[in-house]
Amino acid sequence: MRVLLATDGSPGSRAAAAFLNDLPLPPSTTIRVVAVVQLPVFGLTAAPAPDFKLMGLDRAAQTVVEDARGMRSARGLALETDVALGDPRMEIVRQAEAWGADLIVIGARGLGGVKRFLLGSVSDAVARHAHCAVLVVKGRRRKLGSVLVAMDGSEDSFRAVRFLTRLALPRQTKVRLLSVVERTRYPATAPKSLRGQLVAMLKELEAERRGQLDKVLEHAASELDDTITRVTRYTPTGDPAEEIVATAADFDADLVVVGARGLGGMARALLGSVSQNVLHHARCPVLIVKEHTKA
């Protein structure tokens, strides 16, 4: 597995490095620590010179070396470092694609993050545009003991399960598989004379969807049989994003895993509305698994 850790020396990126240190990765994993320097802009022009460039690169290089040194001492994994120049929102994605990364790890908010927001512009852009899996680290520091996996039967949601099996998770890790039955709304314009008939039909549709999702979770659980022994399943009714976030809090999940696009996702979108909402509102790290992620 090839893991790119994006860092800028902020508390958020150091939290991402700490979470990655504790993440049970395969022994063959290579970690690449990358810092991207963006030169300040004065008026309509970029900062003159080599001075600002060299100062920024020097600080970034120190950040990379410090993060890399910490990881080298904690893990016996192959490790590379790099310092790049450009807009972090684009350069991190470009570096990951050029290097063939399987996973990008990034803090939710970097040095430019506004404290009232759970997600900064860089992590949001990377999650949207990267073609590989993206792990956005947020919330209190935690060991990985419980994982919530959201499923809707889409291929991306099954990729999320398969990606989880690539990690060297302890067999006693608690995994909850979640599928949300979306509530079917009664049409406001429907004639009152048909109310009873329509309500019964809507309940029947919800029951049918619940049955389909129960089979999805059963299939997903079977894929985890050889690696995880503590797997539970849950199929609440409600808004998918809201239920995922609420269940993550109730389950005290250390990680939420979602597919980038569900069954309703547009083919041209790399990030669907449910995964985007979960990414913005969950209080713990969120792993988004995408179509091009190796399973």
Side-chain angles (χ1 to χ4, degrees):
M1 183 181 290
R2 295 165 77 84
V3 180
L4 186 148
L5 171 66
T7 181
D8 63 1
S10 66
S13 66
R14 293 193 184 281
F19 191 83
L20 180 58
N21 255 334
D22 294 333
L23 195 65
L25 298 168
S28 59
T29 297
T30 298
I31 296 175
R32 185 179 181 87
V33 186
V34 175
V36 179
V37 181
Q38 184 170 22
L39 298 184
V41 175
F42 296 95
L44 299 177
T45 60
D51 284 346
F52 278 105
K53 180 176 179 180
L54 291 174
M55 286 170 57
L57 285 172
D58 183 59
R59 283 195 299 271
Q62 290 176 10
T63 297
V64 167
V65 170
E66 287 170 13
D67 288 341
R69 187 181 295 123
M71 263 190 259
R72 183 175 286 129
S73 62
R75 311 288 289 270
L77 302 175
L79 194 127
E80 304 173 5
T81 61
D82 192 20
V83 179
L85 188 65
D87 185 334
R89 292 169 296 184
M90 295 182 286
E91 189 61 25
I92 292 169
V93 173
R94 191 194 70 76
Q95 290 255 346
E97 195 159 352
W99 186 56
D102 300 305
L103 172 66
I104 298 171
V105 180
I106 188 169
R109 287 190 291 112
L111 289 173
V114 180
K115 286 187 177 179
R116 68 178 178 273
F117 296 133
L118 285 178
L119 199 67
S121 62
V122 174
S123 52
D124 188 36
V126 171
R128 285 173 180 270
H129 299 297
H131 287 267
C132 64
V134 178
L135 171 58
V136 178
V137 178
K138 58 168 87 173
R140 60 177 173 81
R141 182 165 181 176
R142 56 184 83 215
K143 296 279 188 179
L144 187 56
S146 56
V147 181
L148 175 68
V149 185
M151 304 283 303
D152 66 355
S154 65
E155 186 53 40
D156 269 9
S157 70
F158 277 103
R159 284 191 187 93
V161 172
R162 293 176 199 127
F163 189 88
L164 199 62
T165 64
R166 295 181 65 194
L167 301 178
L169 292 172
R171 288 181 63 78
Q172 66 272 22
T173 303
K174 293 189 294 182
V175 174
R176 174 159 296 177
L177 300 173
L178 169 73
S179 283
V180 181
V181 181
E182 291 190 67
R183 186 171 282 107
T184 310
R185 304 283 179 191
Y186 181 82
T189 56
K192 290 184 179 180
S193 59
L194 296 177
R195 180 177 177 82
Q197 195 174 354
L198 282 173
V199 167
M201 187 182 301
L202 294 179
K203 286 183 178 179
E204 187 177 329
L205 287 172
E206 282 188 15
E208 183 179 336
R209 180 59 176 155
R210 186 179 301 279
Q212 292 170 347
L213 291 175
D214 284 341
K215 289 180 181 177
V216 166
L217 295 189
E218 183 180 358
H219 181 61
S222 69
E223 294 201 14
L224 295 171
D225 276 348
D226 294 335
T227 53
I228 303 295
T229 57
R230 303 173 68 185
V231 179
T232 56
R233 295 176 248 167
Y234 182 43
T235 51
T237 301
D239 175 81
E242 290 178 4
E243 289 297 331
I244 293 167
V245 172
T247 303
D250 292 342
F251 185 54
D252 195 22
D254 299 316
L255 176 67
V256 175
V257 184
V258 294
R261 290 187 291 111
L263 291 173
M266 294 181 292
R268 67 177 181 273
L270 286 179
L271 196 64
S273 60
V274 172
S275 51
Q276 185 176 333
N277 283 334
V278 171
L279 180 60
H280 277 263
H281 298 293
R283 297 274 173 177
C284 66
V286 177
L287 171 62
I288 298 174
V289 181
K290 302 193 175 190
E291 181 179 355
H292 297 284
T293 301
K294 297 173 189 173

